[in-house]
Amino acid sequence: ASLCQAADAPPYAALLSQALTQAPELLERRADVSAAAADAAQAGAWLNPRLDAVVENLGAPASGGQSQRQNTYTLTQPLELMGKRGARIEAGERNILVAQSRQRQAQVAFAYELALAYATVEAAQARAGLAKEDLSRATDDVNAAKAQVKAGKEAGLRLAQAQASASATQAARQAAEADVVQALARLSALVGSSEPYTGISESLLTK
């Protein structure tokens, strides 16, 4: 199941809590712990007994004309000597501890990576907001230049300069918006969301 459907990402703490159980990056570590636990449980079990059957033909036929046979069944229960079973159990428990330690390390690294991705979105959105304000001022400058040129107060070069500045500002805004989309896609993929987030719901950089 996805964590989000085309909406803002939850606050960082809530997002981390959800992602720790669903992020693709952490699912492998959880599977390792489960596998180690299963192996340890198996290591603690006694070895299975073995049933052997031997059929012997005794040679001389019985009075009914049928050969005489003897069936012998042997049930064997293997015994592990010299502490073999205990050593196997201890190795299984160690494997669990190793898998759990690696899982915790992966969770710590993931929390840092998620915080970085969350902050990257916030910074990208801030830059996009500034770029939008710059474009608004550049557009106002173009309109003012047009009015001044029309009134004969400015030469046409003034308008050309304003228009060139506005074009550059427009390109900067588009680049900033592309950075936001990329940062949101990275955040969404990191936590395993099937739909890209549209924003973040709180500031992490100002905490």
Side-chain angles (χ1 to χ4, degrees), residues 75-184:
L75 181 64
T76 304
Q77 174 65 60
L79 296 177
E80 296 180 285
L81 303 177
M82 306 299 293
K84 288 184 178 179
R85 180 170 177 269
R88 195 172 68 245
I89 294 174
E90 184 178 349
E93 292 173 346
R94 283 199 305 269
N95 288 339
I96 292 179
L97 293 176
V98 169
Q100 290 174 337
S101 176
R102 289 174 177 171
Q103 182 185 39
R104 287 191 293 270
Q105 291 174 357
Q107 289 173 342
V108 171
F110 178 84
Y112 170 78
E113 190 175 1
L114 182 63
L116 182 60
Y118 204 98
T120 298
V121 171
E122 183 177 353
Q125 288 182 327
R127 289 193 298 270
L130 292 175
K132 182 179 180 180
E133 293 175 0
D134 289 343
L135 180 59
S136 178
R137 286 192 292 268
T139 301
D140 291 342
D141 192 31
V142 168
N143 292 333
K146 285 181 179 179
Q148 289 176 339
V149 168
K150 185 176 181 180
K153 297 180 179 180
E154 290 282 357
L157 178 60
R158 170 71 180 84
L159 177 59
Q161 291 174 333
Q163 290 173 331
S165 178
S167 295
T169 306
Q170 173 66 25
R173 182 190 177 187
Q174 290 174 344
E177 290 176 343
D179 288 343
V180 172
V181 172
Q182 184 178 2
L184 286 169

Side-chain angles (χ1 to χ4, degrees), residues 25-99:
E25 189 173 318
L26 299 178
L27 291 180
E28 182 179 352
R29 292 302 180 190
R30 185 190 300 177
D32 289 344
V33 173
S34 298
D39 290 344
Q42 182 61 35
W46 293 99
L47 296 180
N48 293 328
R50 187 180 68 188
L51 178 64
D52 296 313
V54 177
V55 179
E56 296 180 278
N57 189 342
L58 299 181
S63 58
Q66 297 180 346
S67 298
Q68 298 183 66
R69 294 189 310 172
Q70 177 176 298
N71 298 331
T72 303
Y73 299 95
T74 304
L75 181 64
T76 304
Q77 174 65 60
L79 296 177
E80 296 180 285
L81 303 177
M82 306 299 293
K84 288 184 178 179
R85 180 170 177 269
R88 195 172 68 245
I89 294 174
E90 184 178 349
E93 292 173 346
R94 283 199 305 269
N95 288 339
I96 292 179
L97 293 176
V98 169

Side-chain angles (χ1 to χ4, degrees), residues 6 8 176:
D8 285 352

